[in-house]
Amino acid sequence: MLNIYIKGVESLDRVFIALGSNLAPRSSRLAEGRDMLRRIAKGGWLESPIYETPPVGPEGQGPYFNQVVSFWYSGTPTRLLYYLKGAELLLGRKPRGHWNSREIDLDLLYYGNRVTTGRPTIPHEQVPCRQFVLVPLNDIGPDWRDPLSGKTVKDMLADLLSREGKIPFRTVTGEES
């Protein structure tokens, strides 16, 4: 599940992207984010359900809609990061500071089994400590192994839940805002 090599074609790597929004219309914003990502996917599309979760960060924010998608990708990690940041701007994200409300957030979680530091940092350093990432990631890749720890997603989620208990999640149905 890590890489596909086709003679005469670039290798394809399995990538995992977290999507989030806490500014209405949240469902539409995630749909637009998925559409932007489908444009660069080379197949193997997977997407989790959408969950409504409490915000992390400064007080006064509304709840988030969170989701994780995965697909095969043929570019470099840096190119993908630039695409994600550009897509956020095209989809209306405004700068508000770290962990503040956002129209759309597209975070690169995993890029095959690569480990890099700097920009981008892969795997995303917050994966093991964020239920709003691990729960939807577990829906589409429970047996995916974190290249740093060697743990599967389902084991990372079980570890996190044993440390902090389950936060309130609600599965989103239909086109809620």
Side-chain angles (χ1 to χ4, degrees):
M1 188 158 151
L2 292 180
N3 298 16
I4 294 177
Y5 298 97
I6 303 170
K7 188 175 179 172
V9 177
E10 295 179 65
S11 69
L12 298 176
D13 291 284
R14 171 69 60 186
V15 298
F16 291 87
I17 311 291
L19 296 87
S21 174
N22 75 334
L23 296 173
R26 296 173 297 173
S27 288
S28 297
R29 292 186 193 281
L30 292 189
E32 291 168 349
R34 289 190 306 273
D35 289 345
M36 292 292 288
L37 295 172
R38 280 191 187 96
R39 295 177 187 184
I40 59 168
K42 302 294 183 190
W45 183 267
L46 301 169
E47 65 182 63
S48 74
I50 297 170
Y51 294 98
E52 184 176 61
T53 62
V56 172
E59 302 237 351
Q61 296 186 63
Y64 274 81
F65 278 9
N66 289 289
Q67 179 178 41
V68 172
V69 301
S70 180
F71 52 90
W72 296 109
Y73 180 72
S74 66
T76 66
T78 302
R79 184 176 174 190
L80 180 55
L81 178 66
Y82 288 151
Y83 184 86
L84 297 176
K85 296 305 150 197
E88 288 177 347
L89 290 174
L90 286 171
L91 296 174
R93 181 165 174 176
K94 294 175 181 47
R96 291 187 178 84
H98 195 55
W99 289 356
N100 280 298
S101 294
R102 53 197 67 163
E103 290 80 7
I104 187 74
D105 192 26
L106 303 173
D107 285 336
L108 175 57
L109 304 176
Y110 291 105
Y111 191 103
N113 60 357
R114 293 186 196 206
V115 175
T116 64
T117 57
R119 193 156 168 86
T121 298
I122 306 168
H124 193 290
E125 55 200 11
Q126 298 296 316
V127 169
C129 57
R130 298 285 192 229
Q131 287 185 45
F132 64 84
V133 170
L134 283 173
V135 168
L137 182 57
N138 188 61
D139 288 331
I140 62 173
D143 297 321
W144 179 263
R145 287 201 180 272
D146 180 271
L148 287 176
S149 68
K151 292 182 178 182
T152 63
V153 169
K154 66 183 165 197
D155 289 340
M156 288 191 297
L157 178 58
D159 289 349
L160 182 59
L161 292 174
S162 72
R163 286 193 312 271
E164 65 183 32
K166 188 164 180 11
I167 63 173
F169 273 61
R170 180 178 69 84
T171 304
V172 175
T173 56
E175 287 295 316
E176 299 180 46
S177 355

